[in-house]
Amino acid sequence: QVQLVESGGGLVQAGGSLRLSCAASGRPFTNYVMGWFRQAPGREREFVAGISRSGDSTATADSAKGRFTISRDNAKNTVYLQMNSLKPEDTAVYYCAASINPFGLVVRTTGLYNYWGQGTQVTVSS
């Protein structure tokens, strides 16, 4: 089992930036494909970005392309989400998740992620 703790959320004006971090503990971090998801009030949880175990492959939702970048530091057991040019519609609780994926594929489906953090609130004001 792996424990995930997100940090870095907060209140920012539209056009601003935030960097979210997710620290993992427990089993070897390199066992997991990592992902970031978000959930706004009244909406389903949605995929934002994912990264392979080695970090050499990533995927990003269309809504985040060109603005958000996922990365990981396996030496620090941490995955990051750099968010630039933030918009009010980015307001949500952001969750870090880990996937035990036998083929190491970057997956976008919530059901394929085995472990979740508690979430961190991101609020973008207009």
Side-chain angles (χ1 to χ4, degrees):
Q1 188 168 348
V2 63
Q3 292 77 43
L4 304 172
V5 179
E6 301 99 334
S7 61
L11 174 64
V12 64
Q13 289 188 332
S17 299
L18 283 174
R19 187 175 84 154
L20 305 183
S21 300
C22 173
S25 61
R27 291 186 176 177
F29 187 56
T30 51
N31 286 358
Y32 302 98
V33 169
M34 300 299 296
W36 285 98
F37 291 76
R38 67 186 182 187
Q39 188 167 19
R43 301 188 64 176
E44 292 187 354
R45 193 169 298 189
E46 64 176 3
F47 173 81
V48 176
I51 190 166
S52 63
R53 291 177 295 204
S54 66
D56 61 355
S57 178
T58 63
T60 307
D62 287 345
S63 59
K65 277 183 181 176
R67 301 187 300 126
F68 293 6
T69 303
I70 188 171
S71 62
R72 68 190 292 164
D73 185 336
N74 287 341
K76 295 182 178 180
N77 292 348
T78 302
V79 61
Y80 305 97
L81 184 68
Q82 178 66 44
M83 304 187 294
N84 299 328
S85 302
L86 282 161
K87 305 175 182 179
E89 51 263 44
D90 294 318
T91 296
V93 177
Y94 283 71
Y95 296 91
C96 171
S99 173
I100 301 172
N101 188 318
F103 298 105
L105 299 175
V106 180
V107 292
R108 298 172 181 248
T109 306
T110 55
L112 295 178
Y113 283 81
N114 307 92
Y115 303 104
W116 294 82
Q118 81 288 350
T120 185
Q121 176 70 46
V122 171
T123 303
V124 184
S125 64
S126 57

